Amino acid sequence: WRAAPEAVSLWGQAMARESFAVLDDFLPPSDARALASAIQRLKPKMSRGQTDSELSASGRGDMVLWVQPDDVPEMGRLVEFTNALITLMMELPQESIQARTQQITALSDAQLTSFPGSTENDDARYIRHVDNEDGRNGRLITCTFYLNEDWDAEKDGGEIRLFEPDQQRIKADVAPKMNRLVIFFSDSSVPHEVRRCRRERYAVTTWYINQEMHLAYHQAEEVGQ
């Protein structure tokens, strides 16, 4: 359905106007359930999420596992569908979209995440941040896919809160519901945070990147530049 001209017009306009889009029922239900089972299987391999900033690290309560999508067969349909979405996006005429998509050369590794969730503490959250704040790390488009059955945002919290570029005004709060994809530009047009989770919350995130910039950024990090 997302490839139908009417749908492309809707989510394309959302990306051009708001720098993000939300796509529900993104995968066939059986594929979403299979991926949810896979992340449960891989959960024991997860470790505490890390950031370059001590402040961000103190405000980040997720457990993560980085994987190559090909190493998790259940990710196959998600990659297939997001690749198709990006291909459609590359054909859109809006300058704001073309400015990002023309730079894409690769798909990143996938980040599997679990926020442990608790009604008793404030740790299961991720404070406001930008995925590619200085424009140097090569991340261009963020795709986060949620795997949480029967999520009730009023009771469970855990929304991804998307901000305007001023990092103050709120664009939207989006609940991490099962089989929902949130796609947004990785740069400073979409600061975002994960609000406190009161039950366990699962997601898979990939980035469409400029690989040359991405590699150069991490090489510079290694030598301390």
Side-chain angles (χ1 to χ4, degrees):
W1 63 266
R2 65 198 61 78
E6 299 84 357
V8 173
S9 177
L10 285 173
W11 60 254
Q13 289 179 39
M15 290 296 297
R17 184 177 60 251
E18 301 292 344
S19 302
F20 80 96
V22 178
L23 299 172
D24 285 337
D25 302 318
F26 188 67
L27 294 184
S30 60
D31 292 309
R33 289 193 296 269
L35 186 50
S37 296
I39 204 170
Q40 290 284 348
R41 183 181 73 244
L42 293 167
K43 181 180 168 183
K45 297 182 179 181
M46 292 181 177
S47 58
R48 185 70 182 257
Q50 303 293 317
T51 70
D52 298 332
S53 160
E54 185 175 336
L55 173 62
S56 293
S58 68
R60 179 175 184 175
D62 57 341
M63 304 293 289
V64 309
L65 176 67
W66 289 93
V67 299
Q68 294 185 353
D70 288 346
D71 292 339
V72 182
E74 295 89 346
M75 280 200 64
R77 292 303 292 277
L78 179 61
V79 171
E80 176 189 343
F81 279 45
T82 54
N83 281 347
L85 192 70
I86 295 298
T87 298
L88 289 167
M89 194 177 297
M90 288 176 169
E91 298 171 357
L92 294 174
Q94 292 94 336
E95 290 184 9
S96 62
I97 295 174
Q98 285 294 313
R100 279 84 167 191
T101 59
Q102 287 180 357
Q103 299 181 64
I104 292 171
T105 61
L107 175 67
S108 73
D109 288 348
Q111 180 184 250
L112 312 184
T113 64
S114 165
F115 282 86
S118 172
T119 59
E120 303 186 358
N121 62 57
D122 198 34
D123 293 340
R125 62 190 181 100
Y126 193 163
I127 62 173
R128 187 181 58 223
H129 63 283
V130 174
D131 288 354
N132 186 7
E133 188 164 18
D134 60 8
R136 295 174 52 225
N137 71 20
R139 290 175 174 175
L140 297 166
I141 296 177
T142 304
C143 297
T144 298
F145 183 68
Y146 295 108
L147 295 161
N148 306 292
E149 292 278 11
D150 303 318
W151 193 272
D152 180 346
E154 185 173 341
K155 179 180 67 174
D156 302 324
E159 304 98 325
I160 182 170
R161 172 167 283 182
L162 308 173
F163 292 90
E164 297 286 354
D166 63 12
Q167 301 202 21
Q168 300 298 319
R169 290 174 296 151
I170 298 168
K171 287 182 186 283
D173 286 337
V174 184
K177 293 182 177 180
M178 180 72 173
N179 208 3
R180 168 175 280 176
L181 182 80
V182 178
I183 181 170
F184 55 91
F185 297 137
S186 304
D187 58 28
S188 58
S189 62
V190 191
H192 53 283
E193 68 183 23
V194 176
R195 307 197 72 202
R196 178 186 173 191
C197 308
R198 299 184 187 90
R199 57 172 273 208
E200 200 149 25
R201 175 192 189 273
Y202 297 99
V204 178
T205 299
T206 54
W207 289 267
Y208 286 85
I209 63 173
N210 181 284
Q211 191 166 38
E212 183 178 354
M213 291 180 65
H214 190 69
L215 292 174
Y217 178 82
H218 286 291
Q219 287 169 356
E221 275 192 328
E222 290 175 4
V223 298
Q225 295 181 359

